Amino acid sequence: MALMTAQEYIDSLRKLNTRVYMFGEKIDNWVDHPMIRPSINCVAMTYALAQDPQYADLMTVKSSLTGHTINRFTHLHQSTEDLMNKVKMQRLLGQKTASCFQRCVGMDAFNSVFSTTFEIDEKYGTHYHENFKKFLTYVQDNDLTVDGAMTDPKGDRSKAPSQQADPDMYVHVVERRPDGIVVCGAKCHQTGSINSHWHIFMPTISMGEADKDWAVSFACPTDAEGMYMIYGRQSCDTRKMEEDASIDVGNAKFGGQEALVVLDHVFIPNEYIFLNGEYEFAGMMVERFAGYHRQSYGGCKVGVGDVVIGATALAAEYNGVEKASAVKDKLIEMTHLNETLYCCGIACSSQGFKTKAGNYQIDLLLANVCKQNVTRFPYEIVRLAEDIAGGLMVTMPSQKDFHSETVVGRNGETIGEICNKYFAAREGVSTEDRQRIMRFLENMCLGAAAVGYRTESMHGAGSPQAQRIMIARQGNIQEKKKLAKNIAGIQK
Ligand code: SF4
Ligand code: FE
C-alpha cells in the first residue's frame, strides 16, 4: 500500500473503535474533539511532509524488510546516516508544529524491539524476532502510527514489580493459553496513544526472576477488546473549547497528547508477542528504547526551540527593542543553547553502531548526555523568551475583549477599542499580530505546549537521574584515571 496522505490518516482513525474518556465521560467523536484534534493534526504532519517532494529524502526511505518506499517513522535505521536523518526529520517536524508530533515513540520502539528480539531468539530459540518482523512489515506497508508504550504506574518505587501490593502497577501476564496470553495493567502519560493505530508494549525497568510475569512485550491494536484511554489534561486546555479564542489558545492548530492507557484482561495472540518471561532481556529493551528516545530529543525539542526563538525575536521587534544589544545577546544565547542540543543529537547518531540484528543503535553515553542537557536548556531558553517578551504574555485581556463592542469609555469607546489602543505595537505592526505572538509564547512557556517543551523535556524519555545513572555507567572513570596516571608518572 502507498504512503497515507494526512487526510487518509485522519480518516483511518475514524474507523477504529478506540475508547477514549475525558472529564469523566466517554468521547465518541474524539477525532473532532477540539481538545484532541490539534494533537491529531500534529501526527498528520508526519504524513503530509512525506508527500511533499521537498522533504522526500528526509521523510521517506527504502524499507530494509521489503524494499518498498516507507515513511521514515516506520524505518529500521541502517546506518549512522539514517540515525542523523532521523534527528533532522524530528527537527523539521518540531519546526512545522511547535509541538510533540508523537510518532517517534513507535519508531524508537521498532528499533529497540527489533534488535532485542534477535538476541532473545539467539539465546532461547524463541520466535519473537520473526513475529516482530512480520508485524513491522504490516506497519510499514500500511503506513501506520504505533505508540511505544513503556512507562508503568510503578506504585511503590522502592519495590520490584512482583513485590507490589497491587500487581497491576506494572503490565503483566495474568493467563497463559496455548494461543496467547492475557495481560493486565496500565501505561501512564502515553504520548500519542489515542492517535495511534497500534501499540507496542515494553517493560519499563530491568527485572529479576521473580518478575517473570511482568517481563512482557507485545503489539496490540489500539481498539483491542479490554483496552481504553483516559485523556491527560494540559494547562489552559479548555481554552480550546471556548468560542472566539483561537488567538488565546496560542497554537490553535497543533498540540501534543498524553493519556493513561489501561489494559483490562486483553488477549494477545502468540504472533504479536516479543518477550514473555525472559526477564534478563527486559533491561536491554528498556535501555535501547530509552537511548533512542534520548537521541530523539536532540531533534524534536530543537525544532520547537527554533520556533520559540523566532517568536521571541518577533516579540522584541513588535515591542520595538530588537536593536537593543541586551536583546540581541539573549537571542544569541538562546540559539547557542538550542544548537548545543542539536550537536548532541547529531553526535550520538554519528557515533552509532550496528547491532547483532543489523539495525543501528546510537552511542549510549552521548545520547544520555543529550537528554541530560534537554532537561536544562529548554528551561533557560524559555526563561530568556519570557524575559524578552515582557509581562504582557501573561496579563493581556482575552480575544473576546479585543473584539468586544460593549461601550466602556466616556466618549462611547468599546472595550475592543480600548484594548486595541493600549496594547498597540510599534508602528506598522497590528495589535492582533502582537497579541498572537504573546499568546503563542505563553502557550510555549507555560500553557498546553509547555507540557511538550518543558516538563516533557525534564521527564520524557526518563527523568534526569536516569541519565546520570547511565552516564556513570558509560563514563569509564577507571580509564580516565589511567590516562592521568600515565602522564603524571604514577606507577601503580
Ligand atoms: Fe517525538 Fe519529541 Fe514527542 Fe518524543 S517528545 S514523541 S521525540 S516529538
Ligand atoms: Fe516524549
Side-chain angles (χ1 to χ4, degrees), residues 41 67 76 84 161 183 201 226 279 303 306 344 382 394 409 452 479:
N41 293 340
L76 295 167
M84 288 190 276
V183 293
F201 287 85
Y279 61 89
D306 287 328
C344 293
V382 156
V394 291
E479 202 45 47

PDB file of all heavy atoms in Angstrom, residues 41 67 76 84 161 183 201 226 279 303 306 344 382 394 409 452 479:
ATOM      1  N   ASN A  41      -3.708  16.644  14.308  1.00  0.00           N
ATOM      2  CA  ASN A  41      -3.097  17.427  13.214  1.00  0.00           C
ATOM      3  C   ASN A  41      -1.576  17.296  13.223  1.00  0.00           C
ATOM      4  O   ASN A  41      -0.918  17.317  12.191  1.00  0.00           O
ATOM      5  CB  ASN A  41      -3.457  18.906  13.353  1.00  0.00           C
ATOM      6  CG  ASN A  41      -4.932  19.162  13.141  1.00  0.00           C
ATOM      7  OD1 ASN A  41      -5.631  18.343  12.543  1.00  0.00           O
ATOM      8  ND2 ASN A  41      -5.424  20.288  13.640  1.00  0.00           N
ATOM      9  N   GLY A  67      11.974  -3.439   0.736  1.00  0.00           N
ATOM     10  CA  GLY A  67      12.475  -2.661  -0.403  1.00  0.00           C
ATOM     11  C   GLY A  67      11.485  -1.598  -0.852  1.00  0.00           C
ATOM     12  O   GLY A  67      11.768  -0.809  -1.743  1.00  0.00           O
ATOM     13  N   LEU A  76      13.722   0.909  10.105  1.00  0.00           N
ATOM     14  CA  LEU A  76      14.809   0.363  10.939  1.00  0.00           C
ATOM     15  C   LEU A  76      16.091   1.036  10.440  1.00  0.00           C
ATOM     16  O   LEU A  76      16.461   0.861   9.273  1.00  0.00           O
ATOM     17  CB  LEU A  76      14.908  -1.149  10.757  1.00  0.00           C
ATOM     18  CG  LEU A  76      13.703  -1.964  11.241  1.00  0.00           C
ATOM     19  CD1 LEU A  76      13.789  -3.399  10.714  1.00  0.00           C
ATOM     20  CD2 LEU A  76      13.622  -1.966  12.764  1.00  0.00           C
ATOM     21  N   MET A  84      21.259  10.030  11.787  1.00  0.00           N
ATOM     22  CA  MET A  84      21.324  11.502  11.727  1.00  0.00           C
ATOM     23  C   MET A  84      20.103  12.059  11.002  1.00  0.00           C
ATOM     24  O   MET A  84      19.556  13.083  11.407  1.00  0.00           O
ATOM     25  CB  MET A  84      22.623  11.950  11.044  1.00  0.00           C
ATOM     26  CG  MET A  84      23.842  11.718  11.934  1.00  0.00           C
ATOM     27  SD  MET A  84      25.336  12.477  11.293  1.00  0.00           S
ATOM     28  CE  MET A  84      25.902  11.230  10.162  1.00  0.00           C
ATOM     29  N   PRO A 161       8.406  -5.130  40.544  1.00  0.00           N
ATOM     30  CA  PRO A 161       7.030  -5.413  40.096  1.00  0.00           C
ATOM     31  C   PRO A 161       6.355  -6.524  40.902  1.00  0.00           C
ATOM     32  O   PRO A 161       5.199  -6.393  41.315  1.00  0.00           O
ATOM     33  CB  PRO A 161       7.222  -5.818  38.638  1.00  0.00           C
ATOM     34  CG  PRO A 161       8.444  -5.089  38.207  1.00  0.00           C
ATOM     35  CD  PRO A 161       9.338  -5.029  39.402  1.00  0.00           C
ATOM     36  N   VAL A 183      -3.260 -10.072  29.353  1.00  0.00           N
ATOM     37  CA  VAL A 183      -2.464  -9.098  30.125  1.00  0.00           C
ATOM     38  C   VAL A 183      -3.351  -8.076  30.827  1.00  0.00           C
ATOM     39  O   VAL A 183      -4.448  -7.748  30.360  1.00  0.00           O
ATOM     40  CB  VAL A 183      -1.451  -8.349  29.220  1.00  0.00           C
ATOM     41  CG1 VAL A 183      -0.375  -9.291  28.712  1.00  0.00           C
ATOM     42  CG2 VAL A 183      -2.148  -7.660  28.057  1.00  0.00           C
ATOM     43  N   PHE A 201       3.837  -2.618  23.557  1.00  0.00           N
ATOM     44  CA  PHE A 201       4.081  -2.528  24.995  1.00  0.00           C
ATOM     45  C   PHE A 201       5.452  -3.121  25.306  1.00  0.00           C
ATOM     46  O   PHE A 201       5.825  -4.157  24.747  1.00  0.00           O
ATOM     47  CB  PHE A 201       2.985  -3.269  25.771  1.00  0.00           C
ATOM     48  CG  PHE A 201       1.674  -2.525  25.748  1.00  0.00           C
ATOM     49  CD1 PHE A 201       0.791  -2.690  24.690  1.00  0.00           C
ATOM     50  CD2 PHE A 201       1.343  -1.632  26.753  1.00  0.00           C
ATOM     51  CE1 PHE A 201      -0.406  -1.983  24.649  1.00  0.00           C
ATOM     52  CE2 PHE A 201       0.154  -0.923  26.716  1.00  0.00           C
ATOM     53  CZ  PHE A 201      -0.728  -1.103  25.659  1.00  0.00           C
ATOM     54  N   GLY A 226     -11.015  -4.636  25.769  1.00  0.00           N
ATOM     55  CA  GLY A 226     -10.433  -4.526  27.114  1.00  0.00           C
ATOM     56  C   GLY A 226      -9.439  -3.377  27.259  1.00  0.00           C
ATOM     57  O   GLY A 226      -8.915  -3.148  28.348  1.00  0.00           O
ATOM     58  N   TYR A 279      13.167 -12.637  31.511  1.00  0.00           N
ATOM     59  CA  TYR A 279      13.288 -11.397  32.302  1.00  0.00           C
ATOM     60  C   TYR A 279      14.618 -10.679  32.129  1.00  0.00           C
ATOM     61  O   TYR A 279      14.693  -9.458  32.220  1.00  0.00           O
ATOM     62  CB  TYR A 279      13.054 -11.705  33.793  1.00  0.00           C
ATOM     63  CG  TYR A 279      14.050 -12.679  34.364  1.00  0.00           C
ATOM     64  CD1 TYR A 279      15.247 -12.235  34.913  1.00  0.00           C
ATOM     65  CD2 TYR A 279      13.809 -14.055  34.327  1.00  0.00           C
ATOM     66  CE1 TYR A 279      16.186 -13.122  35.401  1.00  0.00           C
ATOM     67  CE2 TYR A 279      14.745 -14.943  34.812  1.00  0.00           C
ATOM     68  CZ  TYR A 279      15.930 -14.486  35.350  1.00  0.00           C
ATOM     69  OH  TYR A 279      16.862 -15.356  35.819  1.00  0.00           O
ATOM     70  N   GLY A 303      13.763  21.621  17.154  1.00  0.00           N
ATOM     71  CA  GLY A 303      12.833  22.207  16.177  1.00  0.00           C
ATOM     72  C   GLY A 303      11.836  23.130  16.866  1.00  0.00           C
ATOM     73  O   GLY A 303      11.545  24.231  16.389  1.00  0.00           O
ATOM     74  N   ASP A 306      13.548  26.253  17.840  1.00  0.00           N
ATOM     75  CA  ASP A 306      13.683  27.198  16.713  1.00  0.00           C
ATOM     76  C   ASP A 306      12.474  28.128  16.656  1.00  0.00           C
ATOM     77  O   ASP A 306      12.613  29.336  16.409  1.00  0.00           O
ATOM     78  CB  ASP A 306      13.770  26.431  15.376  1.00  0.00           C
ATOM     79  CG  ASP A 306      15.107  25.728  15.188  1.00  0.00           C
ATOM     80  OD1 ASP A 306      16.126  26.241  15.685  1.00  0.00           O
ATOM     81  OD2 ASP A 306      15.131  24.658  14.536  1.00  0.00           O
ATOM     82  N   CYS A 344      24.347  17.485  20.198  1.00  0.00           N
ATOM     83  CA  CYS A 344      24.284  16.225  20.957  1.00  0.00           C
ATOM     84  C   CYS A 344      23.494  15.172  20.181  1.00  0.00           C
ATOM     85  O   CYS A 344      23.884  14.000  20.137  1.00  0.00           O
ATOM     86  CB  CYS A 344      23.614  16.450  22.311  1.00  0.00           C
ATOM     87  SG  CYS A 344      24.565  17.469  23.429  1.00  0.00           S
ATOM     88  N   VAL A 382      13.331  29.194  27.634  1.00  0.00           N
ATOM     89  CA  VAL A 382      12.023  29.737  27.987  1.00  0.00           C
ATOM     90  C   VAL A 382      12.175  30.939  28.931  1.00  0.00           C
ATOM     91  O   VAL A 382      11.463  31.938  28.816  1.00  0.00           O
ATOM     92  CB  VAL A 382      11.170  28.611  28.630  1.00  0.00           C
ATOM     93  CG1 VAL A 382      10.082  29.165  29.516  1.00  0.00           C
ATOM     94  CG2 VAL A 382      10.565  27.737  27.539  1.00  0.00           C
ATOM     95  N   VAL A 394       1.396  37.210  29.789  1.00  0.00           N
ATOM     96  CA  VAL A 394       0.551  36.536  30.788  1.00  0.00           C
ATOM     97  C   VAL A 394      -0.513  37.455  31.389  1.00  0.00           C
ATOM     98  O   VAL A 394      -1.264  37.039  32.270  1.00  0.00           O
ATOM     99  CB  VAL A 394       1.386  35.924  31.939  1.00  0.00           C
ATOM    100  CG1 VAL A 394       2.189  34.756  31.456  1.00  0.00           C
ATOM    101  CG2 VAL A 394       2.269  36.967  32.609  1.00  0.00           C
ATOM    102  N   GLY A 409     -16.113  53.519  27.482  1.00  0.00           N
ATOM    103  CA  GLY A 409     -15.465  54.835  27.631  1.00  0.00           C
ATOM    104  C   GLY A 409     -16.456  55.988  27.690  1.00  0.00           C
ATOM    105  O   GLY A 409     -17.599  55.875  27.237  1.00  0.00           O
ATOM    106  N   GLY A 452       4.985  19.756  26.387  1.00  0.00           N
ATOM    107  CA  GLY A 452       5.972  19.183  25.474  1.00  0.00           C
ATOM    108  C   GLY A 452       7.333  19.837  25.571  1.00  0.00           C
ATOM    109  O   GLY A 452       8.358  19.173  25.483  1.00  0.00           O
ATOM    110  N   GLU A 479      39.248   4.232  33.197  1.00  0.00           N
ATOM    111  CA  GLU A 479      40.095   4.507  32.039  1.00  0.00           C
ATOM    112  C   GLU A 479      40.668   5.928  32.124  1.00  0.00           C
ATOM    113  O   GLU A 479      41.842   6.164  31.821  1.00  0.00           O
ATOM    114  CB  GLU A 479      39.247   4.335  30.770  1.00  0.00           C
ATOM    115  CG  GLU A 479      39.999   4.077  29.498  1.00  0.00           C
ATOM    116  CD  GLU A 479      41.116   3.038  29.607  1.00  0.00           C
ATOM    117  OE1 GLU A 479      40.929   1.930  30.184  1.00  0.00           O
ATOM    118  OE2 GLU A 479      42.210   3.387  29.133  1.00  0.00           O
TER     119      GLU A 479
END
